[in-house]
Amino acid sequence: MRPRRLRFPTPGSKLVAGADFGETMRLVLCDDNLLLGEALAPALTASGHQIAAITTSLAGGLAAIRAHRPDACLIGLRFPGEDGLAGIRAIRQRHPGTAIVILARAADPPIAWEARKLGVAGFLSKDANVAQIAQALAEVAAGGTVFEPGLSSRPVTGVSRGDRRLYELTPREQEVLRRIVDGQGTGQMAKEMNIATSTLRSYVKTLLTKLGTHSRLQAAALASREGLVAGAAA
């Protein structure tokens, strides 16, 4: 699915039938609480999304994803007798084209960090309202990631500084960094990524700040030295 430019709801806005949150997606809802899925399904359908399946187990979620090939899966972490992170790892390995957005009962930074390392696209509290979830899905459809404040950049013991810097970048920022290392200029990057040059410059500014560098040259040198991009020497 090729994402389009999105229009996001204003803070505090309420979801209404037919509300335009931008790119819509085919979704699988997977949570041990069936009532949660049944409550979310009509609300997300009202925003234009298609609900391919509602499941209450990781095995059921994997089967639904295999059968329906959804754009994204909204998934819980706790399932009786099953390891939520292990299940998410299996989904990422077998179906990398399906974005994963976790809905958790509590904001647990270490768990969120492990989930981020697995490549999930979002980590939200189950206390989030439907408008917030719909907005998060819009961000994911655009190629971004959505983590609650404080959950996306917390360092973890045993993770190298280079790895931490990489995981603090969104997938789009990681792509920009790879292109910087390859020596691409602003125009070429914007054209190949199908985004405006102003958007590209915004990505560059943000990733330079996250890396603690002041220029693209410094960022490229750091990425090569610490192995922040595939193929770069550690």
Side-chain angles (χ1 to χ4, degrees), residues 113 153 155-169 210-212 222 225-228:
W113 187 264
S153 58
V156 175
T157 301
V159 179
S160 71
R161 183 176 63 169
D163 284 343
R164 289 202 302 270
R165 281 171 166 161
L166 177 60
Y167 291 126
E168 287 170 4
L169 301 181
K210 289 182 177 181
L211 294 177
L222 176 67
R225 183 173 67 252
E226 297 197 9
L228 297 186

Side-chain angles (χ1 to χ4, degrees), residues 4-225:
R4 300 190 299 267
R5 298 294 292 276
L6 304 175
R7 294 188 295 276
F8 299 104
T10 57
S13 63
K14 300 297 183 181
L15 181 65
V16 297
D20 183 5
F21 283 83
E23 185 75 52
T24 59
M25 295 192 288
R26 186 175 176 84
L27 304 172
V28 163
L29 308 182
C30 181
D31 191 86
D32 66 327
N33 185 348
L34 179 61
L35 292 178
L36 176 64
E38 291 181 338
L40 279 177
L44 292 176
T45 298
S47 69
H49 296 293
Q50 179 183 354
I51 308 302
I54 302 174
T55 69
T56 57
S57 68
L58 289 173
L62 272 167
I65 291 171
R66 181 171 61 251
H68 300 288
R69 304 290 179 178
D71 300 303
C73 175
L74 281 172
I75 188 169
L77 278 176
R78 296 183 180 179
F79 296 87
E82 298 179 287
D83 183 338
L85 283 179
I88 290 169
R89 182 181 295 108
I91 294 172
R92 293 292 301 144
Q93 291 173 345
R94 301 175 194 177
H95 307 285
T98 296
I100 302 295
V101 177
I102 293 172
L103 292 177
R105 291 188 177 92
D108 187 330
I111 295 296
W113 187 264
E114 289 302 314
R116 177 116 191 191
K117 289 193 291 182
L118 292 177
V120 303
F123 195 107
L124 304 173
S125 167
K126 286 185 177 180
D127 291 332
N129 60 41
V130 176
Q132 290 170 327
I133 294 173
Q135 181 172 358
L137 289 173
E139 294 272 8
V140 171
T145 57
V146 182
F147 282 71
E148 290 195 351
L151 293 182
S152 63
S153 58
R154 184 181 295 269
V156 175
T157 301
V159 179
S160 71
R161 183 176 63 169
D163 284 343
R164 289 202 302 270
R165 281 171 166 161
L166 177 60
Y167 291 126
E168 287 170 4
L169 301 181
T170 68
R172 276 298 217 186
E173 290 162 359
Q174 291 178 29
E175 180 180 358
V176 170
L177 180 59
R178 286 192 293 270
R179 292 176 181 276
I180 288 175
V181 172
D182 289 340
Q184 294 186 9
T186 299
Q188 181 181 359
M189 283 191 281
K191 181 178 180 181
E192 294 185 2
M193 294 175 67
N194 194 30
I195 58 177
T197 55
S198 59
T199 301
L200 187 281
R201 291 192 181 98
S202 178
Y203 283 133
V204 171
K205 181 179 179 180
T206 300
L207 76 85
L208 292 182
T209 298
K210 289 182 177 181
L211 294 177
T213 56
H214 301 288
S215 69
R216 298 186 189 190
L217 183 61
Q218 288 182 349
L222 176 67
S224 298
R225 183 173 67 252

